[in-house]
Amino acid sequence: MRLAIFDLDNTLLAGDSDYSWGEFLVQKKLVDAQTYAEANDRFYQQYKAATLDIHEYLRFSLAPLTRYSLDDLAVLHAEFMRDFIEPMMLPKAKALLQEHRAQGDYLLIITATNSFVTHPIAKHLGVDDILASDAEIVDGRYTGNGTGTPCFQGGKVVRLNEWLKEKNYDLTDAYFYSDSINDLPLLEKVPNPVAVDPDDRLRAAAQERGWKILSLRD
């Protein structure tokens, strides 16, 4: 079975779910608005510049989860999905997923965004599995810590290799779709790299290497 691998934010979605979760928290007044919004903006700019310290960012983004039970967080996430994520859904992205599904491919999302934010989105999109930056849960509550290798930049390659060994898949004829220069390490590992609505640096890299460039927003 061939793998079709997808980044999530700004690839399958017309926006960034991680950044938007921060906006949701600010809108709901669940965090200090000015302080949190400023930090959220700063980290997002670092992400786009490929200078993000993923461990620092995970500590920031996971901290609010520690204040609520899993049941309360599920209610909040459902509201977040309705108000922030569903408007980001792209018909062409859903069509691309269906195209690979119809070909019998195994659909895998691999995203730097934490597992709390992304697992329900992956379920909504109907993919087979997801690799995300995992958030630690102890005694039924988030601790605010990440666990394992963050699924970011070269960490995506590490996590995917671990997954391949566990699931007994390989990258023969595999696809990987991404918008971000942060994903260059994984794009270089697959036979079929596709730049999707890419940032300027990834567009230049894709053009230089002769990779396919695709828009799911046109």
Side-chain angles (χ1 to χ4, degrees):
M1 186 179 291
R2 183 176 64 180
L3 287 177
I5 309 167
F6 304 86
D7 178 49
L8 179 63
D9 298 311
N10 288 307
T11 301
L12 292 178
L13 297 177
D16 187 286
S17 61
D18 219 354
Y19 179 78
S20 296
W21 172 252
E23 291 187 308
F24 172 76
L25 293 176
V26 169
Q27 184 184 95
K28 294 286 291 183
K29 300 180 180 178
L30 299 176
V31 291
D32 179 80
Q34 181 175 350
T35 302
Y36 200 91
E38 288 176 355
N40 201 36
D41 289 343
R42 182 178 71 254
F43 283 122
Y44 190 45
Q45 292 307 313
Q46 291 172 358
Y47 171 82
K48 291 194 290 186
T51 61
L52 179 68
D53 181 330
I54 188 62
H55 297 282
E56 181 186 10
Y57 178 67
L58 284 172
R59 286 192 294 271
F60 163 78
S61 63
L62 296 176
L65 304 184
T66 66
R67 305 170 194 164
Y68 303 96
S69 69
L70 296 184
D71 288 343
D72 288 341
L73 286 169
V75 172
L76 288 170
H77 198 291
E79 184 178 350
F80 169 65
M81 283 285 294
R82 183 192 68 221
D83 294 345
F84 283 78
I85 298 302
E86 289 183 14
M88 293 184 196
M89 294 289 179
L90 293 164
K92 286 188 176 181
K94 291 184 177 181
L96 177 63
L97 291 170
Q98 181 54 35
E99 178 183 332
H100 279 284
R101 194 178 287 117
Q103 293 171 7
D105 297 338
Y106 191 98
L107 308 185
L108 174 67
I109 286 174
I110 185 162
T111 175
T113 300
N114 71 71
S115 52
F116 164 75
V117 169
T118 57
H119 279 213
I121 301 172
K123 183 178 180 180
H124 182 88
L125 289 170
V127 300
D128 297 298
D129 205 352
I130 179 172
L131 296 174
S133 294
D134 290 325
E136 183 182 56
I137 298 175
V138 175
D139 296 330
R141 294 186 77 94
Y142 284 97
T143 67
N145 298 318
T147 181
T149 301
C151 213
F152 180 60
Q153 295 180 342
K156 284 193 176 183
V157 177
V158 172
R159 291 287 303 279
L160 178 60
N161 284 337
E162 292 171 350
W163 184 91
L164 290 171
K165 291 178 182 178
E166 179 184 336
K167 301 292 185 180
N168 201 28
Y169 284 96
D170 60 44
L171 294 180
T172 302
D173 205 26
Y175 284 77
F176 178 43
Y177 297 85
S178 178
D179 71 292
S180 175
I181 192 64
N182 287 293
D183 285 337
L184 190 61
L186 183 50
L187 286 161
E188 291 177 333
K189 294 290 184 183
V190 298
N192 298 296
V194 184
V196 179
D197 298 293
D199 61 37
D200 291 343
R201 290 171 64 188
L202 180 56
R203 182 177 295 276
Q207 290 171 338
E208 180 181 340
R209 291 163 170 79
W211 294 346
K212 183 176 180 180
I213 299 175
L214 174 70
S215 177
L216 298 178
R217 305 191 192 199
D218 292 345

